[in-house]
Amino acid sequence: MATNDNNKFQAVIAHAKEYGFVFPSSEIYDGLSAVYDYGPWGSELKKNIRDYWWKSMTQLHENIVGIDAAIFMHPTTWKASGHVDNFSDPMIDNKDSKKRYRVDHLIEAHAETLAKEEGEALLSSMDRLLSGDDFAGLKKLIGDNKIKCSVSGTCNWTDIRQFNLMFKTEFGATVAEKEEDNIVYLRPETAQGIFVNFLNVQKTARMKIPFGIAQTGKAFRNEIVARQFIFRMREFEQMEMQFFVRPGTEGAWYKFWKEERLKWHLSLGIPAEKYRYHDHIKLAHYAKEACDIEFEFPIGFKELEGIHSRGDYDLSQHQLYSKKKLQYYDNDIDPATGKPYGNYVPCVVETSIGLDRMFLSVLSYAYEEETISKEDGGSDSRVVLRLPAKLAPIKLAILPLTKKDGLPEIARTIMNDCQDEFYCFYEEKDAIGKRYRRMDAIGTPFCITVDHQTKEDQTVTIRYRDTMTQERLPVNKVIELVKGKIR
Ligand code: GAP
């Protein structure tokens, strides 16, 4: 049983593997660092989270439409966006172990070992030095605090250098005159696919400002990672929405989306105290204002989603580099002049969440090792995933009590009726209690059992995952009940 949060994190990772949620990538070759594969129930849970986000962004907002841009983009995209020059983190190497650390991760890990006030003082010094790009000051801070490498145990550090996080690959079969002409990057964020399509989307979907473009898809970053499971990956998925607004209104829209996104998280029923805002002091190269919505993972409060007011930086940069106008004609009347606002480059408020990180937040919150008191005074235990019913991979398990007396046939008929409506699972092997436990462990919110009484009165037993209570229900009410709960 998990006794503390680090144990809980390890228990969640082990559970995710054992029950088909997440596997290390290419595990038979000992895995690939910070790359993971999603198994049968993991890919279903991930899809449900993605769909939940997509529906809330597009279907439920008349002024937001979706796209699906390619991962490869013209290399100039990344020059224009600033990623070639700025998408880097300060790194430091330990000369003895040759291990490389992100400077902020190294200092944060040390701060966690200190008393609260001391740790906070160290972090605020770090924030100040990072926001001034003061690498000499940061190295001195590491030295003064005698921060050691976890592998060599020494303080023998190199100078701090910037390290670009983008992956490069070669494009096409022909050999270009200059080697760099063949280079393309694996996108480090999905946002740029939205910016370069801004006018295509605005014109074809006939959108009027303010409007948004949403996208989900893979992103790649050559992260320096310290065993954080799917929290920090080298290949991951983002769900991003860029909201295009009239310049001067971006502050109000930033506030709107900051609140709106937290409401979306709370709509899943996870308690509010598991979330908090973190306003940025050091802003990314494109940002005017930025904050994170942090979630309390088993590894502590960490960034789950970013909300950024990006100004007109991205569209202006693409306009500059592509020499194509990326402007919008606004024929609304400006009350100050009595004339239309006219042509301008819109400002952007972005909401950006990692799908894998969202998956980890939902999974780690849902995971519970429960002790159950028995009527005879003894106790039993179970591992249950209390996943929100609308996200659960399997919504309904259909279980005949025995393999005989025509019960499997009745259960199969119910399965046929239900599987068109939501994801169902049929199982007749093992004792019913064992089957319930397996469904608890993968988060199935409802199980129905077909027994001999079903033959007499067309009722089944429905068992609720969270309370383990059971009641009888007419077979023809099952679909309605489950649909009501997952809506
Ligand atoms: N377009 C803005 C952008 O990409 P970001 O803060 O770098 O901003 C947004 O990333 C979100 O993507 C983060 O809040 C996080 O949820 C997720 N994310 C970023 N890097 C990640 C990684 N290496 N592994 C998993 N998720 C990551």
Side-chain angles (χ1 to χ4, degrees):
M1 291 286 152
T3 51
N4 64 34
D5 282 348
N6 185 44
N7 283 354
K8 176 166 178 186
F9 194 43
Q10 296 312 321
V12 169
I13 296 170
H15 189 85
K17 180 164 178 244
E18 187 179 345
Y19 285 90
F21 284 85
V22 184
F23 309 128
S25 159
S26 33
E27 195 190 9
I28 57 167
Y29 296 104
D30 297 333
L32 185 64
S33 170
V35 185
Y36 289 89
D37 297 339
Y38 287 81
W41 310 131
S43 53
E44 201 62 35
L45 173 58
K46 194 175 169 197
K47 183 185 82 58
N48 292 345
I49 298 173
R50 190 192 298 111
D51 289 350
Y52 187 57
W53 182 89
W54 186 258
K55 181 176 174 187
S56 80
M57 279 295 176
T58 61
Q59 195 174 323
L60 299 181
H61 285 101
E62 286 175 41
N63 60 349
I64 302 180
V65 286
I67 62 163
D68 182 9
I71 287 173
F72 289 137
M73 299 184 70
H74 192 285
T76 310
T77 308
W78 305 110
K79 193 77 196 145
S81 69
H83 283 81
V84 171
D85 296 325
N86 296 312
F87 193 57
S88 46
D89 280 325
M91 304 282 181
I92 192 164
D93 293 2
N94 183 270
K95 289 184 193 166
D96 299 319
S97 68
K98 311 278 183 262
K99 187 168 161 57
R100 177 166 293 164
Y101 293 86
R102 242 175 79 170
V103 168
D104 56 339
H105 289 177
L106 182 70
I107 298 175
E108 276 167 11
H110 184 71
E112 277 169 22
T113 66
L114 303 176
K116 192 163 180 272
E117 276 179 21
E118 226 185 320
E120 280 171 4
L122 176 62
L123 292 180
S124 78
S125 303
M126 177 187 81
D127 282 344
R128 187 175 37 78
L129 294 166
L130 276 174
S131 61
D133 281 335
D134 183 350
F135 292 172
L138 283 162
K139 187 171 178 192
K140 186 165 178 312
L141 189 70
I142 291 170
D144 290 349
N145 281 275
K146 300 192 174 48
I147 300 179
K148 294 195 177 87
C149 165
S150 61
V151 177
S152 67
T154 69
C155 301
N156 193 8
W157 298 109
T158 61
D159 284 341
I160 294 173
R161 285 174 297 122
Q162 293 282 19
F163 181 82
N164 195 293
L165 300 181
M166 281 197 294
F167 283 102
K168 288 177 191 167
T169 188
E170 281 179 36
F171 200 71
T174 51
V175 180
E177 270 177 36
K178 283 189 278 162
E179 201 188 325
E180 64 261 32
D181 290 350
N182 264 352
I183 284 174
V184 288
Y185 297 97
L186 298 190
R187 65 181 178 197
E189 61 171 14
T190 56
Q192 298 304 323
I194 293 180
F195 293 126
V196 299
N197 278 300
F198 162 68
L199 274 189
N200 283 339
V201 175
Q202 188 268 318
K203 286 185 178 149
T204 55
R206 296 172 44 239
M207 304 306 283
K208 266 189 74 130
I209 268 178
F211 75 93
I213 305 178
Q215 173 166 224
T216 69
K218 290 275 179 145
F220 304 83
R221 296 182 188 179
N222 200 1
E223 302 275 11
I224 303 295
V225 265
R227 286 182 290 131
Q228 287 176 310
F229 190 41
I230 55 171
F231 179 81
R232 197 177 303 283
M233 304 159 86
R234 293 197 165 112
E235 174 181 341
F236 59 100
E237 197 165 332
Q238 288 186 314
M239 306 190 287
E240 297 200 298
M241 193 278 296
Q242 312 294 326
F243 200 69
F244 298 90
V245 304
R246 185 182 296 146
T249 64
E250 67 273 23
W253 281 113
Y254 170 73
K255 193 166 170 287
F256 171 84
W257 280 110
K258 191 173 162 180
E259 286 166 12
E260 199 65 12
R261 290 306 301 149
L262 186 57
K263 279 192 215 152
W264 180 83
H265 287 285
L266 297 177
S267 72
L268 285 173
I270 297 177
E273 60 267 24
K274 300 294 280 182
Y275 300 90
R276 70 180 187 197
Y277 288 119
H278 168 74
D279 294 310
H280 287 201
I281 305 169
K282 179 171 164 55
L283 295 172
H285 60 271
Y286 50 75
K288 273 186 160 181
E289 259 183 297
C291 72
D292 299 333
I293 294 176
E294 293 187 338
F295 180 79
E296 192 178 17
F297 293 94
I299 46 174
F301 268 103
K302 304 261 179 212
E303 174 184 351
L304 172 60
E305 169 156 10
I307 295 113
H308 311 123
S309 176
R310 298 176 75 125
D312 65 3
Y313 175 83
D314 302 89
L315 290 181
S316 295
Q317 284 292 103
H318 287 305
Q319 194 169 247
L320 187 71
Y321 278 77
S322 68
K323 303 189 178 57
K324 309 269 167 33
K325 273 200 169 159
L326 292 176
Q327 296 184 2
Y328 174 82
Y329 184 81
D330 189 340
N331 51 21
D332 281 1
I333 301 298
D334 178 352
T337 63
K339 293 183 184 147
Y341 284 98
N343 267 318
Y344 55 77
V345 177
C347 285
V348 170
V349 175
E350 166 186 75
T351 73
S352 174
I353 176 167
L355 175 51
D356 313 84
R357 229 173 250 194
M358 179 72 195
F359 181 104
L360 182 59
S361 72
V362 169
L363 184 71
S364 56
Y365 177 71
Y367 180 90
E368 192 177 325
E369 296 171 0
E370 194 183 41
T371 305
I372 307 156
S373 310
K374 292 207 295 196
E375 276 171 13
D376 64 6
S379 68
D380 199 356
S381 69
R382 66 166 181 163
V383 172
V384 54
L385 289 187
R386 297 186 191 280
L387 295 169
K390 56 187 147 216
L391 300 184
I394 297 169
K395 310 298 186 205
L396 179 71
I398 298 160
L399 315 170
L401 189 63
T402 65
K403 283 192 207 168
K404 47 185 203 289
D405 302 335
L407 302 186
E409 288 73 11
I410 301 172
R412 278 279 173 209
T413 310
I414 301 173
M415 175 83 180
N416 285 343
D417 291 344
C418 293
Q419 70 186 159
D420 200 35
E421 305 285 343
F422 36 77
Y423 203 121
C424 301
F425 187 83
Y426 175 90
E427 197 175 37
E428 54 187 38
K429 192 171 169 287
D430 291 331
I432 193 72
K434 229 176 171 181
R435 282 183 271 166
Y436 284 154
R437 287 289 188 274
R438 278 203 292 267
M439 287 297 118
D440 290 343
I442 56 175
T444 305
F446 312 105
C447 294
I448 56 169
T449 306
V450 175
D451 55 19
H452 294 90
Q453 194 180 328
T454 312
K455 286 167 68 171
E456 285 157 26
D457 63 5
Q458 286 77 50
T459 63
V460 287
T461 303
I462 182 154
R463 176 203 183 254
Y464 299 95
R465 174 197 69 199
D466 292 346
T467 55
M468 293 188 290
T469 50
Q470 303 186 11
E471 60 185 352
R472 288 211 76 92
L473 183 78
V475 171
N476 60 12
K477 293 276 181 233
V478 170
I479 291 182
E480 195 184 314
L481 181 135
V482 176
K483 278 176 96 172
K485 303 272 186 195
I486 62 178
R487 187 166 298 134

